[in-house]
Amino acid sequence: MPLRTRLLTPALLALALIATPLAAQQPQTPGQPNPAAVTGGSYKADPNHTLVRWEVDHLGITPYTGLFGSITGTLMLDPANPAATKVDITIPVAQVTTASPGLTEHLLRAATGAAKPDFFGANPAPARFVSTSVRIEGQMASITGNFTFNNITRPLTLETRFYGAGKMPAQMGGKENIGFQARTILRRSEFGITTAIPMISDEVRLEIAAAFVKE
């Protein structure tokens, strides 16, 4: 055995002996991407950790994004019959957030005279998604439902991926949590918002991070 290898081998063994107990001490996150950790029942949306990110094309130059938060709703889940899952989510449009205070104000600007507002208006009604069917493929699901936005209701499908589940530590409430990611595309013109098309795209991409806490 070469001298360098003979010198390195004891050092590597020593490092391995030190690292093994240290690795065992590393804490795991409460949630894991393990479907076996999912239990059935009624869940409530966690408004502090559920977000809808929207994205539009701006002038063909860059994408522009914003967020909806403080989302509420319910999830009814039966792991033995996932196709029977029911989702009912409400999004407070009035709490839209962007990186530009001026743009946020514009989105919520009141109508002038008899004209309708450019975008949401000063007191927009919340948006709501209520599922009507669920198609399961492994850890993916296509959730179809009725989406009401700007007081117009149209069908919408969310391509949804299971993210993780688990029981929180006692100091964090001790309840079971489950999370998903979802995405979809809608056309805002179908919901009566046509300002600046095509300079601002008609197509809006939605990416959703949804966290639920078992009741």
Side-chain angles (χ1 to χ4, degrees):
M1 182 183 293
L3 177 61
R4 184 178 180 184
T5 302
R6 292 201 304 270
L7 292 173
L8 284 174
T9 299
L12 291 173
L13 288 172
L15 286 172
L17 290 171
I18 294 170
T20 299
L22 287 177
Q25 295 171 18
Q26 294 299 314
Q28 284 192 326
T29 58
Q32 298 292 325
N34 177 14
V38 178
T39 63
S42 175
Y43 291 76
K44 273 191 172 183
D46 178 352
N48 297 317
H49 298 96
T50 299
L51 295 169
V52 175
R53 174 185 176 272
W54 52 264
E55 179 182 302
V56 293
D57 174 85
H58 182 251
L59 302 175
I61 303 297
T62 56
Y64 193 87
T65 65
L67 291 173
F68 295 111
S70 300
I71 291 164
T72 58
T74 58
L75 167 68
M76 293 296 297
L77 185 62
D78 179 3
N81 185 18
T85 297
K86 300 290 185 184
V87 181
D88 187 339
I89 295 294
T90 297
I91 304 168
V93 176
Q95 295 191 39
V96 64
T97 299
T98 76
S100 165
L103 177 57
T104 301
E105 187 275 332
H106 187 189
L107 292 174
L108 300 173
R109 187 174 297 163
T112 55
K116 67 177 184 179
D118 287 344
F119 294 100
F120 305 146
N123 296 293
R128 187 180 181 191
F129 177 82
V130 180
S131 65
T132 55
S133 67
V134 178
R135 181 169 55 85
I136 304 293
E137 292 183 5
Q139 294 190 37
M140 298 292 295
S142 292
I143 304 176
T144 298
N146 293 317
F147 183 59
T148 301
F149 178 44
N150 199 33
N151 297 310
I152 296 172
T153 301
R154 298 184 65 88
L156 189 69
T157 297
L158 304 178
E159 299 302 331
T160 307
R161 180 176 75 90
F162 168 64
Y163 191 87
K167 188 174 183 179
M168 298 299 104
Q171 62 268 30
M172 298 176 66
K175 294 187 177 182
E176 293 179 48
N177 283 232
I178 187 170
F180 303 90
Q181 288 181 311
R183 59 179 56 189
T184 192
I185 296 174
L186 59 82
R187 292 190 176 276
R188 59 189 176 94
S189 62
E190 294 181 346
F191 295 90
I193 301 175
T194 58
T195 299
I197 296 172
M199 299 301 178
I200 301 172
S201 63
D202 188 11
E203 183 176 278
V204 182
R205 296 178 179 272
L206 301 181
E207 294 186 357
I208 302 159
F212 295 89
V213 181
K214 193 169 185 180
E215 295 188 271

